[in-house]
Amino acid sequence: MKLAITGFVSERAGSIASAHALLVRQLLEEGHKIDFFSKMTFVDPRPSIGEHDGFQFIDVTNTGPDRFRRNVQHVPGLGFAAIRFDVFTYNRLLVRAIARAHLKRRYDICLWLGEFARGRVPGLLNVSYLQGAPGSDARSVLDRAAEIQNLAGLVVALRWYLLARLRLSRFGLPPFQHSDHWIVGSSVSRETMCNTYRIPEDRISILAYPIDLQLFQHIEVSPQRAIDALRALWLGRIIPRKRLDLFLDGAALAIEGGLDLHLTIAGGIGFMPGYEKLISNFPYPGRLVWKQSVPREDVPRLISEHDVLVQPSDEEDFGHSVAEAQACGLPVIVGNTNGNRDYLCARDIHLGDDKPSTLAEALRTVAKRKAEGRLRDINESRELAKKLFDIKSVGIRLTEVLEAAALKVGISTIQQ
């Protein structure tokens, strides 16, 4: 296939962008031709992709608005307007550039990585590979409004409440109308797309993200704490949707019940300063270590120093840290509406609700398995990761999804 691709691709800009880099490289290895459209100040995938005969980078820089935005983006009011104008002009120029190239190159599909299609080229199928259903963070802000006010203050809470309402209104929704087919990471996101946004189920495919299985594998490390203690890891941004409150409340209950439990929180403050007070309010500070920043290359060692990874997130499309932990041989505990429930083995636990007592019981279950020596054999978790998250198998599945979308949707779209 000839593919026009745009979106977030980088080996150094987070798990999703890194996964996209793996996918683009794999598509090239499979023999597909790719033209990647972006502006270099936004995304330049060439350092991640390397030299390849089938790859071409097409710079789409809206020079004037881009320069103006960089000069004034930190100026209150003016910076916000400059950013919005930059985004608007860039998206318009991007679609025009794809349209011009399509006249010569005749692409089969335009693939938008990590975002909704921002426009339509006549006769060209648009497939949007989303980071998840829209509005998940906004819904979590509304659900946790009282907690946010208690931690961050009334002014911050009100500001984010209003922004969340705007995000979930018709003015804040992404442009659904430009996409012919969607790809999401789990059934959780597909259910939200269908039930909340009325997208037909047959226009949504589920595809797990690939994991770098060479990087993420078990590393033999000497335990830093008493071997009898259960070492639980939280890995991710500190934002309401990730449910750090549930993690800490469940851990506190488990400790109160006599569990020898030690916690590591690895992740920086997200979009809501003040929310990290959950950590300072934890009643057992001697049982907790907070690492605000961990280099990506050090994450496998950090994972391997623990017994279990816990991610009780709400509406999680695909928790990369969960898959990475499984690749390193760890069991995981995932939340009730965490999409990784689709990708678990017998060593893992899916929480049936969001009660702290349920999470505490899950931690006790893992601790019992550790005491019985059942956590030592990491092969089941590792084999699951190799089966589901290997780049070659995910790349083959992505090709199948694109080809099926072209057959099912593309023919009728081109004929219109």
Side-chain angles (χ1 to χ4, degrees), residues 89 187 282 284:
T89 56
S187 60
F282 187 62
Y284 303 97

Side-chain angles (χ1 to χ4, degrees), residues 205-323:
S205 297
I206 297 174
L207 182 64
Y209 281 90
I211 299 298
D212 186 344
L213 296 174
Q214 294 299 315
L215 174 62
F216 290 95
Q217 54 183 309
H218 182 71
I219 299 173
E220 290 294 338
V221 294
S222 300
Q224 298 177 349
R225 301 189 179 99
I227 193 65
D228 292 335
L230 182 69
R231 298 161 295 171
L233 174 64
W234 159 287
L235 184 58
R237 296 174 300 148
I238 298 176
I239 58 175
R241 183 177 60 81
K242 296 291 186 177
R243 297 306 307 273
L244 181 60
D245 62 311
L246 177 55
F247 174 67
L248 293 175
D249 288 347
L253 280 180
I255 293 171
E256 288 172 11
L259 182 63
D260 189 2
L261 176 64
H262 292 268
L263 311 176
T264 300
I265 296 173
I269 302 169
F271 56 79
M272 191 172 293
Y275 204 72
E276 74 281 1
K277 289 180 182 178
L278 286 168
I279 298 174
S280 59
N281 292 341
F282 187 62
Y284 303 97
R287 303 286 191 99
L288 186 151
V289 174
W290 180 22
K291 300 176 182 287
Q292 295 194 44
S293 178
V294 179
R296 183 166 175 78
E297 60 270 18
D298 293 342
V299 172
R301 176 172 290 277
L302 175 68
I303 291 173
S304 300
E305 291 173 348
H306 293 80
D307 301 305
V308 62
L309 180 133
V310 185
Q311 190 182 82
S313 311
D314 291 333
E315 287 194 56
E316 188 74 45
D317 174 59
F318 181 90
H320 290 261
S321 62
V322 174

Side-chain angles (χ1 to χ4, degrees), residues 105-273:
R105 300 277 284 173
R106 304 309 303 174
Y107 302 115
D108 297 296
I109 290 173
C110 184
L111 178 61
W112 299 72
L113 291 176
E115 60 178 345
F116 283 82
R118 297 296 168 176
R120 182 177 293 280
V121 175
L124 181 59
L125 184 73
N126 270 341
V127 177
S128 298
Y129 197 161
L130 306 180
Q131 299 182 39
S136 57
D137 281 321
R139 284 185 287 274
S140 73
V141 167
L142 298 182
D143 290 342
R144 319 224 68 73
E147 178 183 70
I148 292 169
Q149 179 177 336
N150 182 52
L151 293 168
L154 177 60
V155 174
V156 172
L158 181 59
R159 174 173 177 261
W160 282 107
Y161 179 87
L162 294 175
L163 287 173
R165 285 294 185 191
L166 177 62
R167 179 70 176 89
L168 296 174
S169 72
R170 65 185 183 91
F171 300 104
L173 291 178
F176 291 96
Q177 71 273 16
H178 299 313
S179 299
D180 300 299
H181 197 81
W182 291 266
I183 303 173
V184 295
S186 66
S187 60
V188 166
S189 291
R190 185 168 67 179
E191 289 167 6
T192 302
M193 292 283 287
C194 294
N195 298 335
T196 303
Y197 299 107
R198 301 294 186 263
I199 304 298
E201 185 174 347
D202 63 355
R203 293 178 63 186
I204 306 172
S205 297
I206 297 174
L207 182 64
Y209 281 90
I211 299 298
D212 186 344
L213 296 174
Q214 294 299 315
L215 174 62
F216 290 95
Q217 54 183 309
H218 182 71
I219 299 173
E220 290 294 338
V221 294
S222 300
Q224 298 177 349
R225 301 189 179 99
I227 193 65
D228 292 335
L230 182 69
R231 298 161 295 171
L233 174 64
W234 159 287
L235 184 58
R237 296 174 300 148
I238 298 176
I239 58 175
R241 183 177 60 81
K242 296 291 186 177
R243 297 306 307 273
L244 181 60
D245 62 311
L246 177 55
F247 174 67
L248 293 175
D249 288 347
L253 280 180
I255 293 171
E256 288 172 11
L259 182 63
D260 189 2
L261 176 64
H262 292 268
L263 311 176
T264 300
I265 296 173
I269 302 169
F271 56 79
M272 191 172 293

